[in-house]
Amino acid sequence: MYQLLKEQLAATIDALKVTVFNRGDAIQRLIMALYATIIEQIDSAVTLIDSGRAAGVQAILRSCLEAHVDLLNLASDPAYADQMQAHYHHQFKLVCKEAMKGTNPFLASIESDAPARYEEHTRELARLGGPLTIQTRFEMAGLNDLYYSIYNSLCCEAHNNLRSLMDRHFVNTGPRTHLCFRSQSSTTWRRSTSMPLLMASCLS
């Protein structure tokens, strides 16, 4: 299955080079940007697996799956772009709110115009409505089963969940417990069927 995924990835990259779309249409540009992101992220995941550095692949696939969900929703309803805009304004409103405190050195560059930006993001959110939760976005895409299974597992890895940390770095061998480094075997990924299948479906 993993080899089939690599072949599909190569074919998809070749096809992308000759894909024709309306560059003057904002929705089509956004769809293509999401698709290109998915291809890039799967290519990065495959590169890490092939190089024997599989740790971190789950975090990449989590982002890839979210892009896949957004792509499906946008393709079925162009108005979904408003939700993506709302998410953007919601996140940067929080950034501006923090910058307005004047205590965060990492936001000093936007401190002076943070109030104006904050008001702009507030107005846009009032017009667009609040952003949807990630669970709702999965439901809209018809991928509710993935949300409660594979996506949950990928989130645990990306957020350094206690379960994931222990499984990743400690192995019990009889009376002793060993700390492992780079324990996520690339061979395990190559023999897996579920994750390569997930990545292949995102490319389809």
Side-chain angles (χ1 to χ4, degrees), residues 1 11 28 35 66 74 89 98 139 146 184 190-191 200:
M1 185 66 208
Q28 290 192 34
Y35 192 43
E66 290 176 351
L74 185 60
H89 288 294
E98 175 66 18
E139 291 173 353
L146 281 181
Q184 292 184 314
R190 294 191 184 97
R191 291 176 178 173

Side-chain angles (χ1 to χ4, degrees), residues 9 64 68-69 83 88-89 94 100 118 143 170 180 194 196 201:
L9 175 62
C64 179
H68 180 56
V69 166
Q83 136 65 30
Y88 161 79
H89 288 294
L94 296 177
M100 287 161 60
Y118 181 87
L143 299 177
F170 288 95
C180 299
S194 59
S201 68

Side-chain angles (χ1 to χ4, degrees), residues 69-70 73 80 83 132-141:
V69 166
D70 285 335
N73 286 331
Y80 184 78
Q83 136 65 30
L132 301 174
T133 65
I134 185 63
Q135 181 180 354
T136 300
R137 289 154 58 192
F138 267 79
E139 291 173 353
M140 289 175 61

Side-chain angles (χ1 to χ4, degrees), residues 101-155:
K101 297 177 182 178
T103 58
N104 192 324
F106 299 105
L107 298 177
S109 62
I110 66 168
E111 189 177 311
S112 60
D113 59 347
R117 291 189 182 188
Y118 181 87
E119 292 302 322
E120 178 187 353
H121 294 309
T122 299
R123 287 194 300 270
E124 286 300 301
L125 280 172
R127 180 179 67 85
L128 297 167
L132 301 174
T133 65
I134 185 63
Q135 181 180 354
T136 300
R137 289 154 58 192
F138 267 79
E139 291 173 353
M140 289 175 61
L143 299 177
N144 207 38
D145 289 345
L146 281 181
Y147 176 80
Y148 286 106
S149 54
I150 293 177
Y151 183 72
N152 177 275
S153 177
L154 295 176
C155 286

Side-chain angles (χ1 to χ4, degrees), residues 3-195:
Q3 184 57 38
L4 288 175
L5 166 67
K6 292 180 65 175
E7 293 172 4
Q8 182 179 355
L9 175 62
T12 302
I13 292 174
D14 288 339
L16 185 65
K17 297 174 183 177
V18 294
T19 298
V20 178
F21 65 98
N22 183 358
R23 288 170 169 76
D25 186 304
I27 299 300
Q28 290 192 34
R29 289 200 307 271
L30 186 51
I31 287 174
M32 291 305 299
L34 284 167
Y35 192 43
T37 290
I38 291 169
I39 295 171
E40 284 182 338
Q41 290 176 335
I42 292 178
D43 185 48
S44 294
V46 167
T47 299
L48 287 172
I49 293 169
D50 285 348
S51 67
R53 299 291 189 270
V57 168
Q58 288 94 337
I60 295 174
L61 294 186
R62 173 178 177 264
S63 179
C64 179
L65 187 52
E66 290 176 351
H68 180 56
V69 166
D70 285 335
L71 176 57
L72 291 177
N73 286 331
L74 185 60
S76 65
D77 181 8
Y80 184 78
D82 288 345
Q83 136 65 30
M84 299 180 71
Q85 283 283 352
H87 183 75
Y88 161 79
H89 288 294
H90 174 73
Q91 291 299 320
F92 274 90
K93 180 181 177 181
L94 296 177
V95 172
C96 291
K97 183 177 181 179
E98 175 66 18
M100 287 161 60
K101 297 177 182 178
T103 58
N104 192 324
F106 299 105
L107 298 177
S109 62
I110 66 168
E111 189 177 311
S112 60
D113 59 347
R117 291 189 182 188
Y118 181 87
E119 292 302 322
E120 178 187 353
H121 294 309
T122 299
R123 287 194 300 270
E124 286 300 301
L125 280 172
R127 180 179 67 85
L128 297 167
L132 301 174
T133 65
I134 185 63
Q135 181 180 354
T136 300
R137 289 154 58 192
F138 267 79
E139 291 173 353
M140 289 175 61
L143 299 177
N144 207 38
D145 289 345
L146 281 181
Y147 176 80
Y148 286 106
S149 54
I150 293 177
Y151 183 72
N152 177 275
S153 177
L154 295 176
C155 286
C156 287
E157 290 287 345
H159 294 154
N160 292 315
N161 178 274
L162 179 63
R163 177 187 71 192
S164 300
L165 287 171
M166 295 302 103
D167 289 345
R168 189 188 312 155
H169 292 297
F170 288 95
V171 175
N172 292 320
T173 56
R176 300 194 63 182
T177 299
H178 299 276
L179 174 64
C180 299
F181 176 63
R182 294 176 181 160
S183 61
Q184 292 184 314
S185 171
S186 295
T187 302
T188 300
W189 277 96
R190 294 191 184 97
R191 291 176 178 173
S192 170
T193 56
S194 59
M195 286 303 175

